[in-house]
Amino acid sequence: MVLSGAGISSWALIVAALLPGGFAYGGSSISYSAGIKNAFGPRHYTQNFALSQLAMGVAALFESASGEVYDLFGSYLSVGVMMLIFAAIALVMAFPGLKFFKPQYESPANLLPRKLR
């Protein structure tokens, strides 16, 4: 849609094509805090949110590192393997069904008085 707008010099079409991307980019950063609270609960929310923001900063450093790896090996295959390894580590750490991970929060239903459950 953007390319077709550029081909016919229609600014309205270009803006209409770029607006959803802008909203998605801005909306994702806002929804991180809600997702973290839903996934890990309110008890350690501030620490978890701070760690997620730190992780984004570290990820920005890996962007430069992936360029260096590409320059070194001449292929993005090693960068892809590196990304898969980090994704697997993150999945294992975030998956609450594993035995070594115990959620630090209670179910919202347990917070209600017993006679309301």
Side-chain angles (χ1 to χ4, degrees):
M1 190 165 147
V2 173
L3 293 177
S4 66
I8 61 173
S9 298
S10 171
W11 284 103
L13 190 58
I14 293 171
V15 170
L18 293 177
L19 276 177
F23 285 129
Y25 183 74
S28 65
S29 61
I30 292 169
S31 64
Y32 289 152
S33 60
I36 290 168
K37 191 170 183 180
N38 285 340
F40 301 107
R43 185 172 180 197
H44 298 291
Y45 168 72
T46 54
Q47 293 90 347
N48 290 332
F49 186 71
L51 283 174
S52 74
Q53 298 302 309
L54 179 66
M56 283 190 249
V58 172
L61 296 176
F62 277 112
E63 179 183 6
S64 299
S66 64
E68 294 296 324
V69 170
Y70 174 77
D71 290 342
L72 185 64
F73 293 107
S75 171
Y76 280 113
L77 179 64
S78 54
V79 175
V81 170
M82 181 177 70
M83 289 172 49
L84 286 174
I85 290 170
F86 286 132
I89 292 170
L91 185 64
V92 166
M93 290 173 63
F95 188 65
L98 297 176
K99 290 183 181 180
F100 62 85
F101 180 80
K102 279 184 138 178
Q104 298 294 318
Y105 63 94
E106 294 186 22
S107 169
N110 292 341
L111 299 176
L112 293 172
R114 290 196 185 271
K115 59 184 172 184
L116 295 177
R117 284 189 225 165

